Amino acid sequence: MSALLDSLKQGFEALPAALVDAQGLGDARRAALAAALADGLPGARVEAWKYTSLRALSARGFAAAGAPAAVEAAALAHIPAPRLVFVNGVFDAALSDTDGLPPGVEFRPLSQALAGDDPRAVSVLGRRFERADEIFARLNAALATEGALLRVEADTAVATPLHVVFVGTTAGTDLAPHLRHLVELRKGASLTLAEHYLGLGAHRHLANHVLHAHLAGSARLVHARLQDEDAGATVFARTDAVLASQATYRRADLELGAGLSRHELNVALQGDGAAVHAGGVLLADGRRQLDTRLGIIHQARDTRCELPWRGLADQRGRAAFHGGIEIRAGADGSEAELSNKNLLLSDAAEIDTQPVLVIHADEVKAAHGATVGRLDETALFYLRSRGIPGEQARGLLVQAFLREPLAMLEDAALAETLGAAVAARLERKDAA
């Protein structure tokens, strides 16, 4: 057994029995851990992990998340309420603020549901993951004791964005927090949600997140995810979304931080007319390794997906992208569009992209494409001829290239916030 899995096994055994068995979840937790340990970590021959090497990570050990570290409130002043804050995987009530939530909205940590009789704790943690390559989802099922639960009642429109903040900061040892989240929008509900992954101190923690999003008929979710963790951190995140009839899911992902980051976005369009519009930015510099995998399944008629993703690799950074779309039999009238464009800014950088389109229906519109190239020299010459210095001209072109996916949100204020985060991240890269 690898040092990584051995340390996580020890972390599971150290959990209080009452917490493991809360709400009758003990058997499911133990089964998930046993399956993960039996199959072990996937290697390069496993297709889903071909571009994410776990060799270095497998040799490391991690402690379970403990008491929250001290974080100054001023460090989060730019993130408004309502918000839930987790520091090194532990809910921090002092930094959180859920006052002012409108009627029809419930927003609380998973630990409260586990301690009470909330059946959602069972529904979200009792799910089984059958495939061997779902190693970190299995570990999450076994070890998660914290996370965010969010429910919006039918026909409730939430005007104020809600924020979930995950802070990684210095601790006495390397930690491995596992968090499970549930976002539930009932019929006709609408919400804007922002996830923030922030590194506020040097650390080498392993964060393992799984989020379930359930959108009932005609529900609308706008979802932004900003991953800007410390350069020593490892982040594994998985989002599984299910959309009913006429539901709409708009999403933007920014992968700006962490030394190793992998995100899986799986969306099942189960109801007629359901639509997902999801774009993202991958920024790999230094020795950063980023891996994003999309799995979009059209299961009903007249469903739609629009997926513009942009990647940038510099220095010795490496970015990998897998865009999988499946249109199943009976999903006639579906429309699918995937675009993955990438910029290489260094001869030592690497970008691997794999668009996949599988169609089992006849009456559909579908297109996919991927490119890897350099900055447009003509555009660069034009800017320089107008008196703009070379580095500034390159920065302007890169920012314009990376901002396009943010339009998926159709929320000007939120898109501007994310655009500013991209610009700030590029400035930090240039200053390094």
Side-chain angles (χ1 to χ4, degrees):
M1 185 186 303
S2 69
L4 169 63
L5 292 180
D6 184 56
S7 68
L8 297 182
K9 178 176 180 290
Q10 292 178 31
F12 178 83
E13 293 170 347
L15 289 173
L19 187 56
V20 171
D21 294 314
Q23 299 201 38
L25 286 166
D27 288 344
R29 287 188 184 274
R30 294 182 181 90
L33 179 65
L37 297 178
D39 289 322
L41 296 172
R45 293 185 178 181
V46 177
E47 181 63 28
W49 289 86
K50 182 177 180 180
Y51 298 108
T52 306
S53 174
L54 299 176
R55 182 175 301 176
L57 186 66
S58 68
R60 297 176 55 200
F62 295 87
V71 172
E72 294 292 335
L76 302 180
H78 62 292
I79 303 177
R83 69 185 187 193
L84 293 182
V85 180
F86 303 85
V87 179
N88 290 344
V90 179
F91 175 64
D92 193 315
L95 295 174
S96 301
D97 184 353
T98 57
D99 292 340
L101 284 174
V105 179
E106 185 178 8
F107 190 34
R108 64 172 177 155
L110 174 64
S111 53
Q112 292 182 4
L114 282 171
D117 58 357
D118 191 332
R120 289 178 300 164
V122 176
S123 66
V124 72
L125 285 171
R127 177 181 169 183
R128 295 177 61 88
F129 297 93
E130 302 295 341
R131 302 196 317 270
D133 60 30
E134 298 178 297
I135 174 70
F136 288 97
R138 287 173 165 178
L139 291 170
N140 185 284
L143 290 158
T145 58
E146 193 53 280
L149 296 182
L150 173 56
R151 179 172 59 197
V152 183
E153 297 296 343
D155 298 318
T156 299
V158 184
T160 302
L162 275 58
H163 301 264
V164 186
V165 187
F166 309 106
V167 177
T169 190
T170 305
T173 186
D174 295 342
L175 304 175
H178 302 262
L179 296 99
R180 193 67 156 263
H181 318 291
L182 174 64
V183 178
E184 183 182 5
L185 272 62
R186 295 189 173 176
K187 187 175 181 179
S190 62
L191 171 73
T192 296
L193 173 68
E195 291 182 70
H196 308 259
Y197 296 67
L198 304 178
L200 297 182
H203 67 87
R204 301 179 69 223
H205 306 327
L206 163 62
N208 181 15
H209 296 257
V210 175
L211 183 148
H212 303 281
H214 299 163
L215 277 64
S218 301
R220 183 178 187 272
L221 175 60
V222 176
H223 188 179
R225 177 177 169 273
L226 170 58
Q227 190 278 104
D228 196 9
E229 256 288 9
D230 184 74
T234 299
V235 177
F236 291 113
R238 171 171 172 158
T239 303
D240 290 347
V242 177
L243 278 61
S245 176
Q246 304 300 323
T248 301
Y249 188 16
R250 291 192 171 274
R251 179 183 178 112
D253 286 85
L254 301 189
E255 295 285 356
L256 308 181
L260 170 61
S261 178
R262 176 185 169 98
H263 180 224
E264 300 177 34
L265 174 60
N266 304 307
V267 182
L269 302 171
Q270 294 185 347
D272 292 351
V276 57
H277 308 267
V281 171
L282 309 179
L283 200 164
D285 58 0
R287 292 179 176 269
R288 180 170 287 107
Q289 180 179 348
L290 305 178
D291 191 351
T292 292
R293 295 186 64 86
L294 308 183
I296 314 298
I297 303 178
H298 295 254
Q299 298 177 232
R301 294 184 59 90
D302 303 317
T303 50
R304 185 182 181 192
C305 74
E306 183 182 8
L307 310 168
W309 287 72
R310 301 294 179 262
L312 181 149
D314 198 2
Q315 297 155 349
R316 301 190 66 178
R318 182 174 180 181
F321 177 84
H322 172 91
I325 301 172
E326 180 183 358
I327 303 178
R328 293 187 174 175
D332 296 293
S334 293
E335 297 183 15
E337 183 177 354
L338 167 68
S339 170
N340 178 226
K341 298 180 180 179
N342 302 277
L343 285 179
L344 277 173
L345 300 184
S346 166
D347 291 337
E350 180 178 340
I351 294 177
D352 300 284
T353 178
Q354 184 183 37
V356 177
L357 181 58
V358 179
I359 302 175
H360 298 288
D362 295 326
E363 299 178 7
V364 302
K365 295 180 181 179
H368 68 293
T371 61
V372 179
R374 305 277 184 173
L375 280 176
D376 187 337
E377 292 297 332
T378 301
L380 186 59
F381 174 79
Y382 175 84
L383 292 176
R384 296 194 65 183
S385 70
R386 295 305 187 268
I388 300 176
E391 287 304 314
Q392 184 180 352
R394 288 184 176 86
L396 290 172
L397 291 176
V398 168
Q399 287 188 45
F401 175 78
L402 295 179
R403 287 179 69 97
E404 183 179 347
L406 306 185
M408 290 297 96
L409 296 173
E410 290 192 346
D411 183 317
L414 187 54
E416 187 62 31
T417 298
L418 296 185
V422 172
R425 176 64 178 80
L426 291 171
E427 289 180 6
R428 294 205 311 268
K429 178 183 76 68
D430 291 339

